[in-house]
Amino acid sequence: MGRKIYKEAIVIRNEIKDSRKLKKPERENRNPYEMAKKQIDIVAKEMNLDVRITKYLKKVERSLIVSIPVVMDNGDLEVFEGFRVHHSTVRGPGKGGIRFSPDVCLDEVKALATWMTWKNSLLNLPLGGAKGGVCVDPRKLSLKELERLTRRYTAEIINVIGPDIDIPAPDVGTDKRIMAWIMDVYSMQKGRSIPGVVTGKPIEIGGSVGRESATGMGLYFVIDALYKKLNLELSNATIVVQGFGNVGGTFAQILFEKGATVLAVSDISGGLYSKDGLDINKLIKWRDQNRLLKDFTEEDYIFVHNDEFLTLDCDILVPAAIENQISLSNVDKINCEIVLEGANGPTTPEADEILKERGIIVVPDILANAGGVCVSYFEYIQDIHSYFWKLDRINSELESIMVNTFEEVYQLSIKRNVSLRTAAYIIAISRLARAIELRGIFP
Ligand code: NAP
């Protein structure tokens, strides 16, 4: 697809002229929580937000730091650090995933909790924003060590989670098996089975059909809606996906099955590229045998190092791994028409400005990857009612919420002549500000 045709088709680029005058910032702060606060400032200025509300929203409600002692298989004791943060419970109980990764720290969890508040508010779900994490490389643990770590972490945070307090879910490095252990510990302590304490559980114990694929499905519904606005065919698109886990893998598979050309995918070991497109189903089978993409030799695919991966030429670039992937260090080399943010916080605010300046459309994380929390919400209400929906209902309600939210964001971006990110933030923050105003500040 030619960049020229694209540029003619894009309505949202009205801002470009003005932003050309912007100078490239010299430095950027890679701390995700500083990033999250900077995003609030940008939008607060745009919407003329009451300074008291801005001050309120730049703080998290509570942060719990816990030590998690684990007896390792060889008899040694390791003590891991874990967190659970509530950014806001003004609009309902906290909701957000749990991350197991060696890079987890308090500021990362605070940022992720803040982004969850915006996401839930943008979708108008009756939920607040929360997040948790443990600083650990789960790949270095045996299954038994992972289970002991998860069970002890759950016991440590038990007083701040619960179906009407805060409902965790999977994120990077965690999955449905870990959610099952969390649900079990919580239920054992409370003396009855309480499936609604976590979402993303196995279906047999109160999980929802369609939850595992929900974030990837949501990304698809949003990019499909944008492509329709631009009068373009998704089946003609070329796509590059960073991160081949739950989000990136599912999205790549959906697009592959829809006939689009997935040029490249990557995991922690690097990426694979083919100008004719990759066979995503084959690569998913490979990944599911716990094998890294760099070791895949069944086809003649080209190996691409992670440093160069995001600069591959494509129509749609999908960062679906971790934060801070598009930054001042590589933004000039980004070679796509649309960035569809699968991960949370993959673009720094400084790089975001430059993408805007270059006429690249960014579909922001709080909109693009909101399908996961949407179906988590469906799982939560199914658990409360003990009545489970069929996949058709899940996917059609998901599609309706994602497409309507996209439309709302898109229309506002045109009306106010702002980016999709700014429009999404204005909607989310306005809803939250109104809730704070109605409830008042205690006491
Ligand atoms: P995941 O299943 O653990 O997958 C993460 C993927 O990213 C893996 O392929 C991983 O490779 C790869 N990766 C990690 N670090 C990388 C790096 N530095 N360079 C390239 N690839 C890297 O996690 P996920 O659930 O898909 O989550 C991905 C992102 O989406 C996160 O930002 C998460 O917060 C966000 N998100 C997730 C959901 C959800 O429902 N799961 C919902 C909304 C947003 P290895 O497997 O080889 O380590």
Side-chain angles (χ1 to χ4, degrees):
M1 178 194 333
R3 187 170 291 248
K4 190 159 167 271
I5 305 170
Y6 220 103
K7 284 211 169 147
E8 281 163 9
I10 296 165
V11 195
I12 318 154
R13 74 196 165 106
N14 299 346
E15 288 174 84
I16 298 168
K17 245 191 275 155
D18 286 347
S19 58
R20 285 226 167 93
K21 292 176 205 142
L22 289 170
K23 273 208 170 146
K24 189 169 165 176
E26 297 290 310
R27 290 181 309 123
E28 65 188 336
N29 193 331
R30 298 282 196 97
N31 176 318
Y33 189 46
E34 293 306 321
M35 244 171 86
K37 287 191 283 187
K38 187 162 185 182
Q39 288 166 334
I40 300 174
D41 282 332
I42 293 170
V43 181
K45 197 169 160 207
E46 173 64 37
M47 61 190 283
N48 224 350
L49 189 66
D50 183 335
V51 286
R52 292 170 302 176
I53 302 279
T54 310
K55 203 188 260 183
Y56 188 115
L57 297 179
K58 283 165 80 177
K59 295 281 180 194
V60 299
E61 275 176 17
R62 60 190 66 82
S63 309
L64 178 63
I65 305 177
V66 296
S67 295
I68 309 157
V70 178
V71 179
M72 308 304 276
D73 292 347
N74 65 4
D76 285 353
L77 182 82
E78 294 286 342
V79 183
F80 300 91
E81 193 167 39
F83 312 91
R84 189 74 196 170
V85 171
H86 299 166
H87 170 256
S88 170
T89 53
V90 172
R91 299 185 75 254
K95 182 93 193 81
I98 291 174
R99 180 173 291 195
F100 284 1
S101 150
D103 298 323
V104 164
C105 63
L106 182 58
D107 272 0
E108 182 187 60
V109 182
K110 280 176 160 182
L112 291 163
T114 309
W115 291 326
M116 284 310 299
T117 303
W118 312 144
K119 204 180 294 184
N120 291 329
S121 180
L122 176 64
L123 262 62
N124 212 358
L125 304 177
L127 297 167
K131 203 83 181 189
V134 177
C135 181
V136 59
D137 186 347
R139 260 191 278 237
K140 293 197 175 142
L141 301 184
S142 70
L143 193 62
K144 279 286 154 207
E145 288 166 345
L146 185 65
E147 180 173 351
R148 286 195 288 274
L149 172 95
T150 305
R151 288 184 181 279
R152 181 64 187 250
Y153 169 64
T154 311
E156 295 295 341
I157 64 166
I158 204 153
N159 290 326
V160 298
I161 60 168
D164 23 341
I165 304 172
D166 169 18
I167 309 116
D171 192 75
V172 174
T174 57
D175 57 14
K176 60 185 174 188
R177 181 182 46 190
I178 288 175
M179 296 306 118
W181 292 329
I182 296 175
M183 178 225 162
D184 184 63
V185 173
Y186 190 83
S187 300
M188 288 298 107
Q189 294 304 310
K190 303 290 171 187
R192 63 194 188 281
S193 192
I194 306 180
V197 64
V198 279
T199 57
K201 299 177 292 295
I203 289 169
E204 298 83 342
I205 54 168
S208 175
V209 289
R211 172 60 186 90
E212 268 186 291
S213 58
T215 312
M217 277 300 259
L219 282 174
Y220 162 66
F221 290 136
V222 170
I223 193 68
D224 187 50
L226 177 59
Y227 254 56
K228 284 183 178 137
K229 292 280 178 210
L230 301 173
N231 285 323
L232 295 167
E233 281 292 329
L234 206 43
S235 56
N236 294 333
T238 56
I239 297 156
V240 167
V241 184
Q242 182 202 40
F244 200 50
N246 175 298
V247 179
T250 309
F251 178 74
Q253 190 172 35
I254 294 169
L255 270 284
F256 172 70
E257 280 165 7
K258 298 275 175 200
T261 308
V262 183
L263 294 174
V265 295
S266 70
D267 64 16
I268 195 85
S269 69
L272 295 176
Y273 171 88
S274 162
K275 71 173 175 26
D276 302 320
L278 304 167
D279 182 335
I280 297 298
N281 287 335
K282 247 188 196 178
L283 292 175
I284 288 205
K285 268 194 207 141
W286 181 265
R287 176 201 72 183
D288 289 346
Q289 292 158 351
N290 278 328
R291 295 197 268 187
L292 292 168
L293 290 174
K294 76 171 174 51
D295 299 323
F296 183 85
T297 49
E298 284 174 28
E299 304 279 344
D300 218 4
Y301 295 154
I302 297 166
F303 179 76
V304 186
H305 282 278
N306 275 337
D307 293 350
E308 295 150 38
F309 188 79
L310 291 173
T311 62
L312 290 169
D313 188 359
C314 61
D315 296 324
I316 307 169
L317 175 65
V318 189
I322 49 169
E323 302 93 68
N324 279 327
Q325 295 302 292
I326 303 180
S327 65
L328 288 184
S329 64
N330 62 2
V331 66
D332 287 335
K333 295 185 222 136
I334 298 293
N335 208 351
C336 65
E337 312 289 353
I338 296 175
V339 173
L340 178 67
E341 294 187 333
N344 288 308
T347 312
T348 65
E350 292 80 3
D352 200 37
E353 277 300 326
I354 292 170
L355 290 174
K356 199 160 65 176
E357 194 177 327
R358 294 184 52 205
I360 295 173
I361 299 179
V362 179
V363 187
D365 47 6
I366 62 166
L367 168 63
N369 71 30
V373 74
C374 188
V375 176
S376 267
Y377 171 62
F378 297 161
E379 178 174 333
Y380 168 68
I381 49 185
Q382 290 172 84
D383 286 337
I384 289 170
H385 292 279
S386 290
Y387 180 78
F388 290 87
W389 308 354
K390 300 255 183 305
L391 187 59
D392 281 357
R393 178 170 175 196
I394 297 278
N395 282 339
S396 87
E397 297 218 13
L398 173 65
E399 180 171 13
S400 152
I401 293 180
M402 296 305 293
V403 171
N404 290 339
T405 308
F406 168 78
E407 190 63 32
E408 200 181 348
V409 171
Y410 183 81
Q411 293 306 340
L412 188 71
S413 79
I414 291 178
K415 188 170 157 208
R416 291 185 73 132
N417 195 19
V418 293
S419 65
L420 292 175
R421 188 187 312 278
T422 302
Y425 266 74
I426 291 174
I427 297 168
I429 292 183
S430 303
R431 257 182 213 135
L432 197 66
R434 179 76 183 131
I436 295 169
E437 194 188 319
L438 286 168
R439 286 182 58 164
I441 310 265
F442 182 82

